[in-house]
Amino acid sequence: MNRSRLHPSSFIRMLLLLIAVLLAAGTGVPAGASASGIVNPKQIYTYEIMVRDMKKLAERYPELIRIRSIGKSEYGREIWSMDLGNGPAVVLLNGSHHAREWITTVLLMALADRYAQAYVQNGTIGSYRAVDLLDRVTFRIVPMVNPDGVTLQQKGAGAFPAEVRPQLLRLNGGSSNFKRWKANAKGIDLNRQYPAGWGNIHNPAPAPGYKNYKGIRPIQAKETQAMVKLARETKPEIAVSYHSSGEILYWNFLTPAANVERDRQIANAYAALTGYRLVTPSKNPSGGGFTDWFIQEFGRPALTPEIGRYSGESNVPLTEWDRIWKQHRDIGGLLGGEGYKLWMKRQKAETAKGEIRLTRSETLRRWPDPTADQIAVLYEGRYTVTRKKGDWYEIRTDRGTGWVPANRTLRGPFEKPESDTIVITQGAELFDSPLNEKAAAIQKKAAEAKALEIWRNWALIRIDRKSWWVRTSDIDFVAESPKPGKPSEKAPGKEPEQGSGKVPGDGPSESPGVAPGNEPSEGPGVAPGNEPSEGPGKAPGDEPEQNSEQAPGDNPEQSSEIIPGDKPADGSDNGNGGIREPSAPGTVTMPEEEAKGGGKGSAA
């Protein structure tokens, strides 16, 4: 019997692939993210390592991650905050209120690292595409509220100035072993410092020490002051304060009856994802905690998960990490989705006029919701706006009206160029979109190009059938004398004007003025088979009534006709942009009978 033999090189490739898969599974990397991140979770994660990693993350993902100090600890350490995402809905996450609970810092740093990877690699966060989630939500993360306490717990009194070491030892009962330490380095328990039931805290310690001393007044500690100021400035949709240990979830602190069911649903979803047990609300709870205060101050949902199995009076061991990560790696999808839904519920649909321009292919959705039904995939081009809600525009297209993300559009007015011909200066940066921070190519030498339109200090130009955006400071307009009898260069409406430079059926053309190696890569348009799938189902009652927020007579017509005045100055498209036909790759078009029905509600 003949047996096929596996070539050694093929065997090696298969072995390497298997190892990569096993490594990804072992670190719990979400789909779309690689295992080669910045944060190493399996180490004693010190304040210095955290600061180093935060700076590296901000350097690697400058368009996605921003860091800043929100104050200083009692011993002068910066309390760092990190914003992950660019959305208007803010979810506040914090960790290490208690010194020995620094594994919560590890979790928050690992989530930020993996979610940033997923964003740039077109991966997912839970049930969401990372791009869809992080363009709508900002996670404001304070990974280590108590840097002095964490340092004391990990390194002992030797990490502090010599003159305060005797005092630290006295606060710890004379012991040099600080593994049980919870408080800040002044002996104040930071999670008993917030003005919510502060006078009714159960079993408070009588004096500063390693735990449970609430201080002489609320918001006494510098660390607590920084958190209160940040929360009041931010007014987040949801707050989560991570603690350890016990695998339980606090979610209610004298919550008003009107908010109980809303908060319970979020808590149940968190418990379903992690396997944690919800703590039954008490009629006489012990207060003073961050989420206790947040619920009373803002009337919004707040959770306190106790991550890791119970570990006694010490830090959760790193051997628990894989279990913790498996439980929480997709938690950002839940928290971000719920936060965005709460934000959108407060937004009102308003009538809008004018035009927008898409600078890349975009999905047209039936409702302002990243998981709503798709109507079609749109080409780059200009579209008439009819309404705005939150961070979405409703626009008119040949398929009728639908919604696109506002943060991926250019809002008019768009102006006609001084002349059709311009000269691009040598060394000018060429962009796929003014929304991009990095240039796609550099102009090798001065060259003539066709000017299509002006938007603010940008010009849309075409050179060799490829469209680019260039700053107006990098071009010179050329005055042209009309030549009698000269036929027009292009019949209006023949070719849709597209910022990506691709027309169905056209192959890529070389641009002789672009320096070799600087040619633009394919943009973030919709690739065949890459269309966003329909998101998770909504809870009953989430579906908005059709046109429920419109004033009478405010309903835009579902028309495929060209809207008067929509035609751009150069006549290069029909003013309604372009719509991918059903036969085009990546198109999703709803059946006629379904298009007449209702859609899905706000984001989940």
Side-chain angles (χ1 to χ4, degrees):
M1 181 175 64
N2 293 329
R3 295 183 179 179
S4 58
R5 300 181 61 184
L6 191 64
H7 192 275
S9 61
S10 300
F11 175 78
I12 293 172
R13 285 196 298 270
M14 290 178 65
L15 183 59
L16 290 174
L17 178 61
L18 178 60
I19 291 172
V21 170
L22 291 174
L23 284 173
T27 55
V29 178
S34 74
S36 57
I38 289 172
V39 176
N40 173 16
K42 295 186 177 182
Q43 61 178 322
I44 296 175
Y45 205 76
T46 65
Y47 172 75
E48 291 77 16
I49 293 174
M50 181 200 73
V51 173
R52 180 200 67 193
D53 287 352
M54 290 180 80
K55 291 179 178 179
K56 285 184 177 180
L57 286 168
E59 290 171 1
R60 181 175 293 185
Y61 307 104
E63 298 177 13
L64 188 66
I65 291 179
R66 300 159 300 282
I67 64 173
R68 67 184 177 106
S69 171
I70 61 169
K72 291 189 176 183
S73 69
E74 293 287 352
Y75 282 93
R77 290 176 175 84
E78 302 286 354
I79 302 171
W80 290 95
S81 173
M82 171 170 55
D83 280 3
L84 168 68
N86 297 305
V90 180
V91 175
L92 179 60
L93 310 176
N94 66 69
S96 292
H97 263 85
H98 287 150
R100 70 191 187 200
E101 299 172 14
W102 51 263
I103 200 163
T104 59
T105 298
V106 180
L107 175 61
L108 292 173
M109 292 297 295
L111 288 173
D113 189 5
R114 303 309 194 264
Y115 292 172
Q117 292 178 61
Y119 184 91
V120 300
Q121 297 176 11
N122 199 29
T124 59
I125 301 174
S127 61
Y128 289 89
R129 290 177 63 238
V131 171
D132 285 337
L133 186 68
L134 295 179
D135 280 352
R136 293 173 173 85
V137 176
T138 296
F139 291 99
R140 185 152 292 162
I141 305 169
V142 184
M144 192 179 289
V145 176
N146 185 7
D148 292 346
V150 171
T151 301
L152 182 60
Q153 195 272 348
Q154 292 174 339
K155 299 181 179 181
F160 289 78
E163 61 270 20
V164 303
R165 292 172 192 169
Q167 177 188 355
L168 293 172
L169 291 172
R170 284 194 300 271
L171 292 175
N172 198 35
S175 173
S176 60
N177 184 347
F178 287 85
K179 292 303 179 185
R180 66 178 183 169
W181 195 267
K182 290 181 68 177
N184 73 356
K186 295 287 187 178
I188 298 176
D189 189 319
L190 297 181
N191 209 43
R192 284 163 175 76
Q193 264 278 286
Y194 293 91
W198 183 83
N200 193 38
I201 290 176
H202 300 176
N203 304 315
Y210 80 98
K211 71 172 185 177
N212 291 355
Y213 178 64
K214 68 179 186 178
I216 60 175
R217 63 182 180 275
I219 322 178
Q220 172 186 349
K222 291 182 179 180
E223 297 89 346
T224 313
Q225 293 169 14
M227 286 304 302
V228 167
K229 181 182 178 184
L230 178 67
R232 285 175 172 165
E233 289 174 352
T234 302
K235 296 181 175 61
E237 306 301 325
I238 298 175
V240 183
S241 185
Y242 282 95
H243 286 256
S244 67
S245 55
E247 296 192 337
I248 57 177
L249 180 67
Y250 295 93
W251 62 279
N252 182 307
F253 183 81
L254 302 176
T255 302
N259 296 338
V260 168
E261 189 55 34
R262 175 201 67 186
D263 295 2
R264 190 198 312 274
Q265 287 182 5
I266 295 173
N268 281 334
Y270 195 107
L273 196 60
T274 60
Y276 286 10
R277 175 179 63 83
L278 268 62
V279 176
T280 303
S282 168
K283 293 182 179 179
N284 183 31
S286 180
F290 174 82
T291 56
D292 304 334
W293 167 76
F294 185 90
I295 290 170
Q296 291 201 337
E297 175 89 359
F298 299 102
R300 297 181 179 182
L303 305 175
T304 301
E306 298 275 359
I307 69 173
R309 288 174 288 199
Y310 182 69
S311 59
E313 289 213 313
S314 185
N315 57 277
V316 172
L318 289 172
T319 53
E320 286 286 292
W321 170 250
D322 288 343
R323 178 184 176 89
I324 292 170
W325 180 246
K326 184 178 180 181
Q327 293 165 338
H328 288 87
R329 61 190 176 193
D330 293 327
I331 205 68
L334 168 65
L335 297 175
E338 291 294 335
Y340 184 71
K341 179 168 67 174
L342 291 170
W343 181 79
M344 279 295 291
K345 281 184 176 179
R346 296 201 312 276
Q347 310 307 309
K348 302 297 182 183
E350 300 175 349
T351 300
K353 296 181 180 180
E355 290 182 313
I356 61 166
R357 174 175 283 281
L358 300 181
T359 59
R360 68 179 193 183
S361 299
E362 192 61 67
T363 301
L364 183 71
R365 297 194 180 275
R366 195 169 302 281
W367 302 102
D369 174 353
T371 66
D373 295 339
Q374 299 180 20
I375 298 174
V377 177
L378 306 180
Y379 279 133
E380 301 90 330
R382 290 207 329 235
Y383 297 84
T384 299
V385 177
T386 56
R387 289 192 297 170
K388 185 177 190 296
K389 181 176 181 180
D391 57 343
W392 293 80
Y393 284 127
E394 184 184 55
I395 62 174
R396 187 174 293 166
T397 76
D398 287 346
R399 291 282 191 268
T401 57
W403 297 84
V404 294
N407 61 355
R408 299 177 190 168
T409 69
L410 309 180
R411 183 71 190 265
F414 304 97
E415 300 176 2
K416 183 178 180 179
E418 296 176 15
S419 65
D420 288 344
T421 305
I422 57 108
V423 174
I424 314 172
T425 60
Q426 181 179 353
E429 294 181 314
L430 306 178
F431 293 79
D432 291 322
S433 168
L435 300 175
N436 297 346
E437 292 190 9
K438 294 182 179 180
I442 303 295
Q443 188 67 22
K444 184 179 179 181
K445 59 183 179 181
E448 283 195 358
K450 179 179 175 61
L452 303 178
E453 71 182 20
I454 304 297
W455 179 76
R456 298 182 182 178
N457 62 332
W458 292 86
L460 178 61
I461 66 168
R462 177 170 292 162
I463 181 170
D464 292 335
R465 299 177 65 191
K466 172 70 176 116
S467 296
W468 297 100
W469 288 90
V470 62
R471 295 184 181 90
T472 51
S473 58
D474 289 331
I475 64 173
D476 294 314
F477 288 97
V478 177
E480 294 181 342
S481 300
K483 296 182 180 180
K486 181 180 179 180
S488 60
E489 185 183 48
K490 191 178 297 183
K494 278 287 185 180
E495 182 182 357
E497 180 239 301
Q498 302 172 44
S500 70
K502 286 193 177 292
V503 180
D506 281 349
S509 59
E510 293 291 332
S511 179
V514 179
N518 279 333
E519 299 82 12
S521 59
E522 288 293 329
V526 180
N530 247 357
E531 309 82 33
S533 60
E534 289 194 22
K538 305 294 186 299
D542 271 356
E543 301 82 14
E545 295 181 13
Q546 193 162 357
N547 298 324
S548 61
E549 296 178 357
Q550 286 183 218
D554 210 18
N555 187 25
E557 296 181 8
Q558 302 284 319
S559 172
S560 61
E561 297 180 0
I562 299 174
I563 308 303
D566 277 355
K567 192 173 183 180
D570 73 326
S572 59
D573 66 21
N574 66 5
N576 279 331
I579 309 289
R580 292 193 189 276
E581 294 302 322
S583 59
T587 300
V588 177
T589 304
M590 302 305 299
E592 183 65 24
E593 59 271 16
E594 187 172 347
K596 296 178 181 178
K600 296 187 178 181
S602 54

